[in-house]
């Protein structure tokens, strides 16, 4: 269990960010994060180590999110929640405003992507900080495929953000 405890301390904030970005609801993200780690503790004896522990936990998170969406409880607006809950204590009001605007622009661009593997790769890479290999393992794709898909999406989003700021 010691390995699982270490993984919890390291991975929990990333799993929370994954849910928070997807759902925009802090308490729901906390609940789902707790569900993931509860399932990980229950299933740890059966963990076959065919992937890293981090990848295994994110596969549980991804399945838990799919289960949540199937349950028809999804209704929160991501931007509304983020704009109400983003807090940065050391920033000036101007910096907070610019950060909020950039964050909203980025999330809007990600949301405008078709709900595809590309969107999932972006969210897992940016907000959950998974490696390209770990994301590839989650979706049964090569590390190179994930890297190229991420790079192309990043270029597309940067281009769209420049166009929307002009």
């Amino acid at each position: 269990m010691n390995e699982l405890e270490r993984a919890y301390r390291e991975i929990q904030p990333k799993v929370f960010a994954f849910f928070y970005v997807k759902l925009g609801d802090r308490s729901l993200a906390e609940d789902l994060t707790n569900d993931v780690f509860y399932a990980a503790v229950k299933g740890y004896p059966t963990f076959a180590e065919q992937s890293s522990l981090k990848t295994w936990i994110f596969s549980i998170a991804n399945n838990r999110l799919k289960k949540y969406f199937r349950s028809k409880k999804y209704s929160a607006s991501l931007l509304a929640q983020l704009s109400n809950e983003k807090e940065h204590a050391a920033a000036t009001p101007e910096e907070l405003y610019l950060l909020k605007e950039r964050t909203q622009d980025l999330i809007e661009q990600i949301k405008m992507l078709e709900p595809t593997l590309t969107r999932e790769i972006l969210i897992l890479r940016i907000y959950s900080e998974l490696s390209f290999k770990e994301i590839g393992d989650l979706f049964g794709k090569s590390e190179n495929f994930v890297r190229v898909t991420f790079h192309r999406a990043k270029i597309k989003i940067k281009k769209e953000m420049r166009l929307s700021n002009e």
Side-chain angles (χ1 to χ4, degrees):
M1 272 309 171
N2 198 12
E3 181 184 8
L4 195 57
E5 289 173 15
R6 271 195 313 275
Y8 176 79
R9 281 188 221 101
E10 176 192 338
I11 301 170
Q12 184 274 339
K14 296 171 184 178
V15 171
F16 171 80
F18 169 74
F19 286 127
Y20 185 66
V21 167
K22 290 285 211 168
L23 302 169
D25 183 323
R26 183 177 219 70
S27 84
L28 182 58
E30 289 170 354
D31 289 345
L32 292 175
T33 300
N34 289 336
D35 290 351
V36 166
F37 283 96
Y38 177 73
V41 168
K42 274 181 48 179
Y44 189 71
T46 62
F47 174 54
E49 297 187 28
Q50 293 175 340
S51 63
S52 72
L53 185 60
K54 187 176 181 180
T55 302
W56 180 67
I57 289 173
F58 267 97
S59 69
I60 294 170
N62 200 31
N63 289 333
R64 184 63 188 99
L65 183 65
K66 288 176 186 176
K67 182 178 177 183
Y68 171 75
F69 283 140
R70 282 192 302 267
S71 74
K72 303 281 186 209
K73 293 180 182 176
Y74 178 71
S75 64
S77 164
L78 178 61
L79 285 177
Q81 294 296 321
L82 276 178
S83 64
N84 291 334
E85 296 185 29
K86 255 319 191 203
E87 295 178 15
H88 297 277
T92 66
E94 293 84 11
E95 291 170 333
L96 284 174
Y97 177 77
L98 290 174
L99 179 64
K100 181 178 170 183
E101 288 296 312
R102 282 194 301 262
T103 301
Q104 287 179 343
D105 288 347
L106 176 61
I107 291 170
E108 272 302 310
Q109 291 301 321
I110 291 172
K111 285 174 67 177
M112 287 172 41
L113 293 172
E114 293 181 28
T116 62
L117 185 57
T118 301
R119 184 190 297 180
E120 298 300 314
I121 289 170
L122 279 169
I123 291 170
L124 288 168
R125 180 71 179 156
I126 294 170
Y127 295 102
S128 300
E129 300 176 357
L130 264 67
S131 70
F132 293 116
K133 181 177 180 352
E134 291 168 329
I135 297 169
D137 290 347
L138 269 175
F139 296 110
K141 301 288 184 183
S142 71
E143 179 179 348
N144 192 48
F145 172 85
V146 174
R147 189 179 302 276
V148 169
T149 302
F150 177 80
H151 181 70
R152 288 178 180 162
K154 187 172 76 169
I155 290 171
K156 181 179 179 180
I157 286 175
K158 282 183 179 180
K159 181 181 173 185
E160 292 297 322
M161 288 178 76
R162 273 195 299 269
L163 289 176
S164 67
N165 289 333
E166 292 177 352

